Amino acid sequence: MSPSPAGLLPVSADHLTAALAATGVPTFITGEWSAGMPVLWVNAAFERFTGMTVEDLAVLGPNALLALVDDDPEREPAQVDLVAGRSMRRIVGMRARDGRTSWLQIDVTPLPSDDGGAHHWVGMATDVSEYVDRQAAQLASLEVERQQRADLDLIAQTTELLGDLEYPLALRDIADLLRSLVPWASFYLNDDGLQHADGVDVASPPSGRGRRHARYVPAPPGEPSTGPGDAVEGGETLAGDHVQDLLDGLVDGPVRLDLGATYPPFSASGWLSRDLRHRVVEETGAIPRSVVVHAVAGRRRVLGLVVTWHGDAQGEPPATAPAPEGEHVVTVVEVVARRAGTAIDNARLYAREHRLAEALQRAMLPEQADVTGLDVWTYYAPNAEHAQVGGDWYDLLQIADGTVGLVIGDVVGHDVEAAAAMGQLRSVVRAYAYELTHPATVLDRVDQLVTGMRVPRPASLVYATLEHRVEDDTWALDYTRAGHLPPLLLREGTVRLLSGAGGPLVGFGADPRAVSREELRRGDVLLFYTDGLIERRDRSLKVGLDTLVDISARITARDSAGVGEELLARLADAPEDDVAIVVVRVPDPATDDQVTALSPRSRRWLLPSEPASIGRARHAVLRTCQAWGLPDSAAAELVVSELVANGVLHGWGNIALRLYDTGEGLRIEVEDANPAPPVATDGHPNRLGGFGMQIVERLADWGWRPAGSGKLVWARLRAT
């Protein structure tokens, strides 16, 4: 009889036994651990839950309760408690009478004994299936959320990589990201044939020869096929070319490609399966059974494929699901494939439009011709950020021996329409300049033609000719102006506006054009310019012109490039319109060798990508070294010759040449539109050349960096 609180009836042992038997919680009593914990008694709830009596459990022998447990990951730690005679609690999976598995919390406690040993144990099983299921659902939800975040992060990283397709390994890096989901992934691009791709050469346009991998061999006429798209040839079953169907856009995909099947000759599926068997084995060591192929689709056609291998290898049971990791893998790969297709298509479209614009711009950009007997420097910078050409232009034409034509003009505006009008005017002036030469006659004919052409934008220009007199080695300037700002004549520290021969804008000249003449002396400098050099919103054009005259009077440079650099440094730091400048200087042997320390120690030229530019660059660096008093002009000539020659040979578009006096040596920079870096080689096999960068290395420290859509190569001559 157990004690009871005051006022309550005492509880007897019979009462306790009856309570254990009647409780709805499965309860059992076992013998000691050393005897295998035989089950000595169970209550009715235990029998209802397990469907087994004490006699049934006795048939199972020692440790009979363990036979009922399906899942018990902590069995060994629990047994340690039982051996030591301590109470034990754990959650286990147990088969119920109806065959389902329930999760039970088992509490086993030793019953007190006179000797203190654990001879009998009482256990209770509480059904916690609802709690376990709820916890499992929460964990599954958290795992789904974690996987979604990981997938979104992968897609975000992919989008970032697709934003820079000029990086040559962009597709390889994206495939590496996908390998966090699948054992292996890679890209293939299709342009008249599939090809494994680590990146996208956006500078190389598609050939346009078609989307087929190669010649397709259909099923022979009259022979049955073993399935949709399959063919039979020579008694051998050939699998259908489903990869080609994907490339043709006949199916949306993804499709599973069996790498052990036999495919028609020259088929896309056959070629891809052979390449994959070799590539996957080489990179993973496993022999793949099949792969999943996704289409990389552009706007109008499939551009390539993303191939993923999900780990099924030969010698293992074939995979029955597209991805053992779940549908989310296929979904993520599909999203990456779509984004890659859009990005590649956009990059190629932009590159195609850029090449077209660049070709048109190169055709219209002004180029400096070789001018015998004069020191000439030119500069052009459009204000439009989206184009390399605007409405300003200039031309220098070697019309005949001793006769040079010069034109500088300005079409209103600096957009594409202004550039188109400029191109028309430039062609007209060029044609008449070579035919008629005399400024008034040329401009009269231009007026007549432009009136009939209906050029949509008004334009101004100055056309001039310089004639060399051999008998006294002097030059004469004849010029006429059509609404353009007057040129400047710089002579021995004084500046004079050449404001004669003025007239209306091009196309509005009803009367014959006038011509003015200037006799030039040695050392004279002529400055032709457009209004972008001096015009600003915060001042009138007259104030800008007065500023130009004042600055020109203080120029100290003794070469045309130095004069131009001083003007740019002081006036064109923030232009608000297109700027074109032509500086012409009559050489003066008496002063040309004098060094001017005050002029800006930098020079720049824009040269066309043609062999003649190599000689112009050498002449430019020689004159600059003389003007700056720099030694080793021969080494500088050699270095600039090699760098410009590389730009002409391997680049395209115009070549920018810049020279800087760093105080520690001459720095030469050459920029072209080819992004490929220069490489020092040991010459070209079986032909001359290939030693250019080795020559540069011996004479200078050099390097390169990306610049715009191309590269900039620099070299600094070593002091001797």
Side-chain angles (χ1 to χ4, degrees):
M1 182 80 63
S2 61
S4 62
L8 297 178
L9 294 175
V11 178
S12 66
D14 292 339
H15 288 152
L16 295 177
T17 302
L20 288 176
T23 182
V25 177
T27 306
F28 56 89
I29 297 175
T30 71
E32 59 186 78
W33 169 259
S34 59
M37 296 190 77
V39 179
L40 305 177
W41 176 87
V42 297
N43 66 356
F46 186 95
E47 292 179 351
R48 287 194 302 270
F49 182 80
T50 63
M52 302 186 74
T53 64
V54 171
E55 292 74 14
D56 295 331
L57 292 171
V59 175
L60 298 178
N63 298 313
L65 291 175
L66 297 179
L68 303 179
V69 177
D70 281 343
D71 188 2
D72 187 7
E74 298 182 353
R75 175 174 295 177
E76 291 184 4
Q79 289 176 348
V80 173
D81 290 334
L82 295 175
V83 172
R86 296 189 295 268
S87 297
M88 179 271 296
R89 170 182 286 180
R90 70 185 189 273
I91 295 177
V92 299
M94 182 175 289
R95 289 193 304 274
R97 185 175 186 177
D98 56 5
R100 65 184 179 86
T101 298
S102 296
W103 291 95
L104 303 176
Q105 177 180 296
I106 305 297
D107 290 277
V108 182
T109 305
L111 295 174
S113 63
D114 295 338
D115 59 4
H119 302 298
H120 294 86
W121 301 75
V122 59
M124 303 186 75
T126 305
D127 191 347
V128 292
S129 298
E130 183 179 351
Y131 165 77
V132 172
D133 292 343
R134 186 166 59 249
Q135 185 182 40
Q138 291 175 345
L139 292 175
S141 176
L142 290 174
E143 176 60 23
V144 170
E145 184 180 349
R146 185 202 64 79
Q147 186 62 61
Q148 289 175 343
R149 287 199 303 268
D151 293 345
L152 290 174
D153 181 63
L154 185 149
I155 292 172
Q157 294 182 62
T158 298
T159 303
E160 184 176 353
L161 288 170
L162 290 172
D164 184 19
L165 282 179
E166 292 184 355
Y167 173 55
L169 302 177
L171 296 184
R172 187 198 66 181
D173 288 355
I174 294 172
D176 289 343
L177 290 175
L178 291 176
R179 292 183 189 187
S180 65
L181 300 176
V182 294
W184 187 89
S186 201
F187 279 84
Y188 288 80
L189 293 182
N190 179 45
D191 180 32
D192 195 32
L194 286 169
Q195 185 175 7
H196 182 263
D198 287 330
V200 182
D201 185 6
V202 295
S204 178
S207 66
R209 289 192 294 267
R211 67 188 64 177
R212 287 215 166 268
H213 171 72
R215 184 171 62 87
Y216 180 65
V217 179
E223 294 191 7
S225 64
T226 58
D230 293 351
V232 176
E233 186 172 288
E236 181 181 14
T237 300
L238 303 180
D241 194 1
H242 302 302
V243 172
Q244 187 63 63
D245 293 340
L246 200 62
L247 294 174
D248 289 339
L250 301 179
V251 296
D252 293 332
V255 299
R256 178 173 290 278
L257 180 66
D258 184 357
L259 301 187
T262 302
Y263 295 95
F266 308 107
S267 65
S269 298
W271 181 90
L272 184 60
S273 63
R274 289 191 299 272
D275 186 81
L276 287 169
R277 282 195 296 268
H278 166 74
R279 197 174 297 277
V280 177
V281 170
E282 185 179 72
E283 296 185 23
T284 68
I287 304 176
R289 179 188 297 275
S290 64
V291 295
V292 178
V293 185
H294 298 256
V296 177
R299 288 179 177 82
R300 296 181 177 86
R301 60 183 292 258
V302 175
L303 306 177
L305 308 170
V306 179
V307 181
T308 56
W309 173 55
H310 298 275
D312 58 334
Q314 292 187 13
E316 299 177 355
T320 57
E325 294 83 357
E327 291 295 329
H328 83 94
V329 175
V330 175
T331 302
V332 170
V333 177
E334 191 70 17
V335 171
V336 170
R338 286 200 303 269
R339 294 197 175 195
T342 301
I344 294 171
D345 213 13
N346 287 340
R348 285 179 171 174
L349 178 62
Y350 172 79
R352 183 165 61 248
E353 293 179 347
H354 181 74
R355 283 190 298 270
L356 176 61
E358 189 177 62
L360 294 174
Q361 289 167 356
R362 282 202 305 269
M364 292 189 293
L365 276 174
E367 297 177 1
Q368 178 178 325
D370 288 319
V371 178
T372 305
L374 294 172
D375 179 16
V376 179
W377 180 87
T378 57
Y379 175 81
Y380 175 77
N383 179 259
E385 296 180 356
H386 62 280
Q388 297 179 10
V389 64
D392 293 10
W393 90 96
Y394 65 80
D395 256 333
L396 273 91
L397 313 171
Q398 188 81 52
I399 297 175
D401 290 341
T403 303
V404 176
L406 187 154
V407 61
I408 189 164
D410 183 1
V411 176
V412 173
H414 43 76
D415 53 13
V416 175
E417 187 175 274
M422 177 272 287
Q424 291 177 292
L425 284 174
R426 181 172 179 243
S427 300
V428 170
V429 174
R430 268 195 167 194
Y432 287 138
Y434 278 108
E435 179 185 356
L436 305 172
T437 305
H438 192 267
T441 308
V442 169
L443 196 50
D444 286 339
R445 294 292 295 275
V446 170
D447 281 333
Q448 296 173 16
L449 189 58
V450 167
T451 302
M453 289 172 60
R454 299 182 183 274
V455 175
R457 297 289 184 90
S460 65
L461 64 81
V462 175
Y463 180 72
T465 58
L466 292 100
E467 294 186 1
H468 182 231
R469 299 190 184 94
V470 179
E471 59 275 9
D472 55 359
D473 194 22
T474 59
W475 289 81
L477 170 71
D478 291 324
Y479 68 94
T480 184
R481 298 188 300 122
H484 201 82
L485 292 168
L488 269 61
L489 173 61
L490 286 62
R491 175 179 293 167
E492 298 177 352
T494 63
V495 179
R496 182 158 55 90
L497 293 173
L498 302 182
S499 54
L505 296 173
V506 177
F508 295 92
D511 299 324
R513 296 283 183 172
V515 175
S516 293
R517 165 165 287 213
E518 285 289 336
E519 300 293 336
L520 302 181
R521 305 174 188 173
R522 293 179 179 179
D524 283 354
V525 176
L526 293 170
L527 173 61
F528 298 82
Y529 55 95
T530 57
D531 57 6
L533 179 65
I534 60 174
E535 189 174 25
R536 300 292 182 271
R537 292 187 180 92
D538 58 352
R539 69 186 184 195
S540 67
L541 193 61
K542 182 180 184 306
V543 173
L545 188 58
D546 292 341
T547 302
L548 174 62
V549 172
D550 180 62
I551 289 175
S552 299
R554 292 184 277 116
I555 288 177
T556 60
R558 299 185 184 277
D559 62 318
S560 61
V563 173
E565 288 293 342
E566 286 201 39
L567 290 172
L568 291 177
R570 300 181 185 184
L571 287 173
D573 53 341
E576 298 174 359
D577 199 351
D578 304 338
V579 177
I581 304 173
V582 178
V583 181
V584 180
R585 182 177 180 274
V586 180
D588 183 3
T591 61
D592 285 351
D593 294 335
Q594 297 179 14
V595 177
T596 56
L598 298 179
S599 63
R601 310 292 273 189
S602 63
R603 300 286 188 270
R604 74 193 84 174
W605 291 264
L606 188 66
L607 306 171
S609 183
E610 58 185 30
S613 294
I614 302 171
R616 297 173 194 164
R618 295 181 64 175
H619 177 73
V621 76
L622 177 61
R623 294 295 301 271
T624 301
C625 287
Q626 291 174 348
W628 291 348
L630 298 179
D632 296 329
S633 60
E637 278 190 273
L638 193 54
V639 170
V640 79
S641 177
E642 294 297 337
L643 295 184
V644 174
N646 278 345
V648 170
L649 183 62
H650 303 294
W652 53 83
N654 289 284
I655 296 173
L657 168 64
R658 303 181 186 92
L659 305 177
Y660 300 92
D661 181 9
T662 65
E664 298 179 352
L666 181 67
R667 179 184 174 92
I668 302 169
E669 293 184 356
V670 175
E671 182 178 345
D672 62 45
N674 185 353
V679 178
T681 67
D682 293 327
H684 300 306
N686 304 320
R687 61 188 178 94
L688 297 176
F691 297 98
M693 297 312 297
Q694 285 194 16
I695 296 173
V696 174
E697 281 184 344
R698 290 182 177 273
L699 298 174
D701 300 318
W702 73 280
W704 76 282
R705 62 177 172 81
S709 60
K711 67 176 179 299
L712 182 147
V713 184
W714 61 268
R716 184 173 62 82
L717 294 177
R718 300 187 183 99
T720 56

